[in-house]
Amino acid sequence: MKWQVTFWREQNSWTVSGKGWTAGVTLGPSPPDSSFSTSTGSLPYGEDLEKKLVFTWEVKANDRAYNNQFKEKAFLCWQRKKYKGNIINTAKYNFFSFLPLNLYEQFHRMSNAYFLLVIILQAVFTEISTMPWFTLLVPLVCLFIIRATRDLVDDIGRHISDRIVNNRPCQMLVGKSFLCKKWKELCVGDLVRLHEDNIVPADVLLLSSTEPSSLCYVETADIDGETNLKYRQALIVTHHELTNIGDMASFQGKVVCEEPNSRMHHFTGRLELEGKEYALDSGNILLRGCKIRNTDTCYGMVIYAGFDTKIMRNCGKVQLKRTKIDYLMNRLVILIFVFLVLISMALTLGFWNKVAEFKTKHYYVPDKHRYSITSESLLMFLSFLILLSVMMPMAMFIIAEFIYLGNSIFIDWDVEMYYEPQDIPAKARSTSLNVQLGQVEYIFSDKTGTLTQNIMTFKKCCINGIVYSPDEEEAPSKENPYLWNRFADGKLLFQNSSLLNIVRSNEDSMVQEFWRLLAICHTVMVGEKDNQLLYQAASPDEEALVTAARNFGYVFLARTQNSITVMELGEERVYEVLAMMDFNSIRKRMSVLVRNPEGSIYLYTKGADSVLFERLHKKGIHKKEQIMKAATEEALTSFAEQTLRTLCLAYRKMDEDTYEEWRQRHQEANILLQNRAEALHQVYEEIEQNLQLLGVTAIEDKLQDGVLETIHSLKQGNIKMWVLTGDKQETAVNIGFACQLLSGDMHILQEEEIIQILEAYQETNSNLPQIKMAAMIVSGELLVSDQMMKSKTGLVLQNKDSTPENPEVWRERAFVELASRCQAVICCRVTPKQKALIVALVKKYQNVVTLAIGDGANDVNMIKTADIGVGLAGQEGMQAVQNSDYMLAQFRFLRRLLLVHGRWSYMRVCKFLRYFIYKTLAIMMVQIWFALYNGFTAQPLYGGWFLALFNLLYTTLPVLYIGLFEQDVSDEQSLELPELYIAGQKDKLFNYWVFFQAMVHGIATSLVNFFMTLWISHDIIEPLSDFQSFSSVMSLSGVLSVTMEVIIIIRYWTVLTVLAIFFSLCFYTVITWTSQSLFLFKISPQNFPLLYADRNILSHPAILLVVLLNVSLNTLPVLAFRVIYQALKQPLPKEEEEVPSEEIILPPRARRSSYAFSHQEGYASLITQGTILRSSPGVHIQSNTMTSDEERSMSFE
């Protein structure tokens, strides 16, 4: 196979691409938490390329004047400061932009532009207007105010959030002392002091800390979702030179680095100090949003501030979110307007013909018209436009806003979504997206804190082939079984009395070695707080294992550079550490070589079953060992099926000669200048052989309550769920199994297989294969590569439709199509910006409604990008909630939010729109039929008050009831039958066909009411011979016909239903009789011309029969048709997906080890070098203390 490789440069990085793959290379020292590789191997850094790089970001410490001299072009010749301040503003509006920007967004709705056009016509042509112009302007202004108030309230929440963040306190160096300042006062180059549990206010270069070697431990849960501690380290030069405040104040170092970018785990630069240059990488940087952990005090220099920080570069902007029904209504408004224009033109042609015919036949009548026939026809055309404009009623949009608001309040009031432990109710922060909740097809979820509780518990273990599970608690335990152990951690829930008895008897050597391994083979650091041991681990899994060993009597007490101290059942033993071989994602195991107090040498190893079982000794295996291995494998499979995170333990005893030979090779490999890592890996391979299996541990990463049931129901509702996490692949896959997104019979597509499938698709130019029982696992490195996201080349391919398409666009489309055919998709190691890009790709190519849910700042961009954003009020702060459309306390409440509130809202709004369109046409189409009989003039048939109040009072309450309270099934049935949700995904309840049906139904009702009344009135009924009586009959028939329709379509009958219908008819009766009274007629005959019209016609029984006939003809046939249609309607077979031309049936995935292996080396190198270890109290040297009494002292070892 031939590969074509292309290089291109972007800022300070180089991207290498080939057919089907890409890789990015950032020049400079390799960050400790990053790796760059392709499927064929690692890409080396190029020294020649590094020399050519020119960094353009220069920041000098303690020198604002120097930093402020840098400018950048803003607009034309206007320049602004290059370095932004640390103040942030995530809101959409400010005081000056709110009105113009909000109006601009309001007029994105075609209905508003339509109403404005009608108002202008009414104001300009007052003599032809049926109603004063202000009668339409006032409701339009009210509509604008309602929507603007809603947007303003949402944006005020963002301003409050920004103000809280900007006013957070921090300690900044001013002169020669650290003073308490606000975040917003920080600038690049400023020096800050941070203490434990402080949040880093900007992207800061770590200068020194009170930890050994100026280490600093940080938690990055708000950035990448990982809760394990990471370490950052200051440069040696700043660690030694900046030992007091005076040194800090005189520090004049200059950082020259890359421009601000969104790459969270990448940083390249240098520190220029006293004529020397020191390389910087991401291991020296504290990112904004990190939390300082287990570090008393640290000092740093601000490099990027405000929107230049990496987390803010990943946050995205507030987007205007519109629903599918909004877009559909925009198109329907255009269709209705075109329909009205065509009807008005047709009626105008009729008027032209009538006027010409009249003048021809009655030439003797003097011409007193002020205008020509053309001018009069034009005025008549505008008259018809104004008269028929109510076919798109403004009341529909005003009532819709109240319906949206009401359904949002119901979400807030739902006690089923109230989380009592934290006193957090559900909250609809946006009122305009409720209908969209009933149409979601894709859910993009974070993992940590969203699906999981992020609590690791020691659940089970298998020792020497025997499985030990927690004791079944038939009755509450009265006595703590670990009281005999003064070091026991009371938080450990695992209790097994039989195993505890075996341990305390101290007779089973396999059990002894099992717990001894857990107490020795790790990189956990130990401290003391409140006379209790406090463990500091690189991952929560490590801490859970060491804590379990601690409770069973094997207590890790202390470590030095070359030793580790363990209390074994009350006996303190010190082991000499000869070598430590740490975890990483390639080795998937960790080993420790120790010499025990008796002088024997042991190798303790723990790791994945896939790498450990092949390193077990195979010669001379006894039958007992075979049985033990088979039982362990069976236990491992059982644990994996229970989605527990498994880890295999093994050990080996070594003789002195073998160790000496290996030590020589290890020392030679350790001093190599080139290929050191490969040489050490080979040396490790040599010693990690011929191991004896001890057993397996099983750790549970606890899911939140109800996650399984929620995901199961959502899948039944045809909702696809993707997990997007910044965590490691092993952890993400394990949670996928725990959530039942993945199953044992699924084949997991890795990146190599994905690329192969896409390459085959591209070469054959055929349909993508249907992959059965497959799931897709991809990493952020693949997703951010240029073959997936960016367009860099100018090449154009011919796709199967012979249409030129950019290759990057083709790859994006192919990737989304392939992912959509998988049963589950998990994206791991993705940055916040990559999460948003994935959501944007699915929206772009699948044209579906997307929902994103998360609980941390790393989810904000994804939440903003999705059609609906749901924020969880979780452990990672409130950033996600403040940028979300809906707030929930737990993931499980998403089930009720979508399947109940979302489906109800969609059903209610659709039924509301269909009925409103029907009743409007049923009333207003009569105007067109009337024009055929009045000489094609725009004379209104109805009285002005009827036109004004028909949609406002006479038929409003039943419509409002439908929009707020209608239910086709109860909430319990909605949860039991998630399949009902599919109707919203397929737009079944409101679409062009439903709109056409409503139009036909409304036109039919108008035809019956008008022509039946007209035909019967011809020489049959005398009272109908005048215009006013005819108008009154038409009004009464129309109101009763649409009322009968609403009675038929309402399914959920309550007292409110009866009251709504009763009061609507009462409003019509009272207002009609009042407006036709003699009293109002005397006051204003022009405004109240229909004196006693209804009273006169209702006194004749024949008129009542006409009204009854109209209502019956409008109701009974429709009712009969619906009953017959439902009786004949057969259940539709389930739609099968289109079968492609080719299918790929992939084998299921083999046994898995789901332990969270690190992508980087842990603390082992720091331990063996002594970097991480504190000196003993007698050796500890304290440097000069700070001068201010208000400040803490800082000591350095």
Side-chain angles (χ1 to χ4, degrees), residues 406 618 646 685 701 907 956 961 984 997 1066 1124 1131 1134 1151:
K618 300 177 177 60
T646 56
E685 284 282 346
D701 187 359
M907 179 269 300
T956 298
Y961 177 86
Q997 289 178 329
C1066 286
I1124 295 173
K1134 291 184 179 179
R1151 185 180 70 241

Side-chain angles (χ1 to χ4, degrees), residues 88 90 155-168 429 878-879 881-883:
I88 62 168
T90 61
D155 210 55
I156 287 175
R158 299 187 190 99
H159 279 284
I160 294 174
S161 172
D162 292 340
R163 190 178 301 113
I164 292 174
V165 172
N166 290 327
N167 290 324
R168 284 176 178 170
R429 304 183 74 251
M878 296 294 287
Q879 292 92 333
V881 169
Q882 290 159 357
N883 291 275

Side-chain angles (χ1 to χ4, degrees), residues 1054-1161:
T1054 63
V1055 175
L1056 290 178
T1057 318
V1058 178
L1059 292 177
I1061 296 173
F1062 173 76
F1063 280 114
S1064 292
L1065 296 177
C1066 286
F1067 285 146
Y1068 174 76
T1069 303
V1070 173
I1071 293 176
T1072 300
W1073 282 56
T1074 303
S1075 63
Q1076 297 177 5
S1077 65
L1078 179 62
F1079 173 75
L1080 293 178
F1081 178 79
K1082 290 180 178 180
I1083 295 176
S1084 177
Q1086 184 177 0
N1087 292 326
F1088 303 97
L1090 303 178
L1091 178 62
Y1092 296 143
D1094 278 46
R1095 186 180 306 178
N1096 290 334
I1097 62 170
L1098 292 178
S1099 61
H1100 296 79
I1103 301 296
L1104 296 178
L1105 290 176
V1106 172
V1107 174
L1108 179 62
L1109 178 62
N1110 290 341
V1111 175
S1112 300
L1113 290 177
N1114 285 322
T1115 303
L1116 295 180
V1118 174
L1119 181 61
F1121 173 79
R1122 290 173 179 170
V1123 171
I1124 295 173
Y1125 177 77
Q1126 291 294 331
L1128 298 178
K1129 184 180 180 182
Q1130 297 295 330
L1132 297 176
K1134 291 184 179 179
E1135 293 187 5
E1136 297 182 358
E1137 295 184 9
E1138 181 182 353
V1139 180
S1141 57
E1142 179 185 2
E1143 291 186 357
I1144 295 180
I1145 302 178
L1146 298 166
R1149 187 171 182 261
R1151 185 180 70 241
R1152 64 194 180 279
S1153 180
S1154 50
Y1155 189 81
F1157 302 107
S1158 178
H1159 276 243
Q1160 65 197 35
E1161 297 290 342

Side-chain angles (χ1 to χ4, degrees), residues 152-260:
L152 182 62
V153 170
D154 293 342
D155 210 55
I156 287 175
R158 299 187 190 99
H159 279 284
I160 294 174
S161 172
D162 292 340
R163 190 178 301 113
I164 292 174
V165 172
N166 290 327
N167 290 324
R168 284 176 178 170
C170 67
Q171 292 184 333
M172 183 176 70
L173 182 63
V174 179
K176 292 188 177 182
S177 62
F178 281 95
L179 302 180
C180 186
K181 298 288 185 178
K182 297 177 180 179
W183 278 25
K184 64 182 180 181
E185 299 179 66
L186 286 178
C187 296
V188 295
D190 290 345
L191 267 60
V192 295
R193 179 169 66 183
L194 302 170
H195 300 298
E196 185 173 3
D197 295 331
N198 283 171
I199 299 175
V200 181
D203 288 353
V204 171
L205 170 65
L206 180 62
L207 297 176
S208 62
S209 79
T210 53
E211 293 299 302
S213 302
S214 282
L215 288 172
C216 179
Y217 301 97
V218 294
E219 181 183 288
T220 59
D222 250 4
I223 294 177
D224 55 18
E226 295 187 19
T227 54
N228 56 297
L229 296 184
K230 299 179 177 63
Y231 69 88
R232 299 291 182 260
Q233 188 172 9
L235 294 175
I236 297 298
V237 60
T238 58
H239 166 63
H240 288 300
E241 293 192 7
L242 304 180
T243 57
N244 54 54
I245 291 184
D247 296 335
M248 297 280 181
S250 60
F251 178 63
Q252 291 295 312
K254 183 169 71 171
V255 174
V256 183
C257 59
E258 60 190 7
E259 292 283 329

Side-chain angles (χ1 to χ4, degrees), residues 370-589:
R370 292 180 297 170
Y371 307 107
S372 64
I373 296 181
T374 304
S375 300
E376 285 196 4
S377 299
L378 179 60
L379 289 175
M380 192 58 62
F381 170 75
L382 296 177
S383 299
F384 279 121
L385 272 184
I386 296 173
L387 177 65
L388 300 178
S389 64
V390 290
M391 285 192 181
M392 179 53 65
M394 186 180 296
M396 181 173 71
F397 296 94
I398 296 176
I399 295 173
E401 292 298 324
F402 286 102
I403 290 174
Y404 292 150
L405 177 62
N407 283 286
S408 299
I409 293 174
F410 294 154
I411 293 175
D412 299 345
W413 288 352
D414 192 343
V415 295
E416 298 293 331
M417 295 195 295
Y418 170 69
Y419 189 56
E420 188 174 359
Q422 296 182 6
D423 189 27
I424 300 176
K427 175 68 176 177
R429 304 183 74 251
S430 173
T431 60
S432 59
L433 300 176
N434 298 328
V435 63
Q436 197 99 303
L437 288 172
Q439 299 179 282
V440 174
E441 291 190 50
Y442 281 80
I443 293 177
F444 300 91
S445 173
D446 182 38
K447 181 190 73 68
T448 306
T450 302
L451 299 177
T452 67
Q453 300 181 32
N454 199 35
I455 299 175
M456 305 297 172
T457 57
F458 189 91
K459 194 70 175 178
K460 296 182 179 181
C461 63
C462 175
I463 307 176
N464 200 20
I466 302 175
V467 176
Y468 297 96
S469 302
D471 291 334
E472 296 182 3
E473 296 185 2
E474 298 180 358
S477 179
K478 298 181 179 179
E479 185 178 353
N480 185 353
Y482 302 114
L483 289 178
W484 59 274
N485 182 0
R486 65 187 180 93
F487 295 104
D489 188 343
K491 297 179 182 179
L492 183 70
L493 301 178
F494 178 79
Q495 297 181 9
N496 187 290
S497 57
S498 61
L499 177 59
L500 189 59
N501 293 332
I502 296 173
V503 172
R504 298 190 65 181
S505 65
N506 202 20
E507 296 177 354
D508 192 324
S509 61
M510 296 290 282
V511 173
Q512 293 173 6
E513 296 296 342
F514 180 90
W515 293 113
R516 185 175 291 129
L517 185 152
L518 292 181
I520 293 175
C521 186
H522 56 77
T523 58
V524 175
M525 301 303 298
V526 63
E528 189 172 325
K529 186 176 182 180
D530 300 329
N531 295 323
Q532 291 290 328
L533 294 178
L534 182 64
Y535 290 150
Q536 172 185 309
S539 71
D541 306 75
E542 283 268 74
E543 184 178 352
L545 293 175
V546 178
T547 302
R550 167 183 172 178
N551 276 41
F552 277 87
Y554 289 75
V555 185
F556 164 54
L557 291 179
R559 71 160 76 244
T560 66
Q561 184 174 349
N562 300 313
S563 69
I564 184 169
T565 304
V566 178
M567 180 74 72
E568 298 182 2
L569 299 176
E571 179 186 356
E572 185 173 312
R573 294 169 60 86
V574 180
Y575 292 84
E576 180 185 357
V577 179
L578 305 176
M580 293 187 70
M581 292 150 268
D582 206 353
F583 273 121
N584 62 34
S585 58
I586 300 175
R587 284 172 40 79
K588 295 187 177 181
R589 62 189 183 276

Side-chain angles (χ1 to χ4, degrees), residues 114 117-118 332-342 385:
Y114 171 79
L117 174 63
V118 174
L332 292 181
V333 168
I334 296 175
L335 288 178
I336 291 175
F337 180 72
V338 171
F339 173 74
L340 293 183
V341 170
L342 294 177
L385 272 184

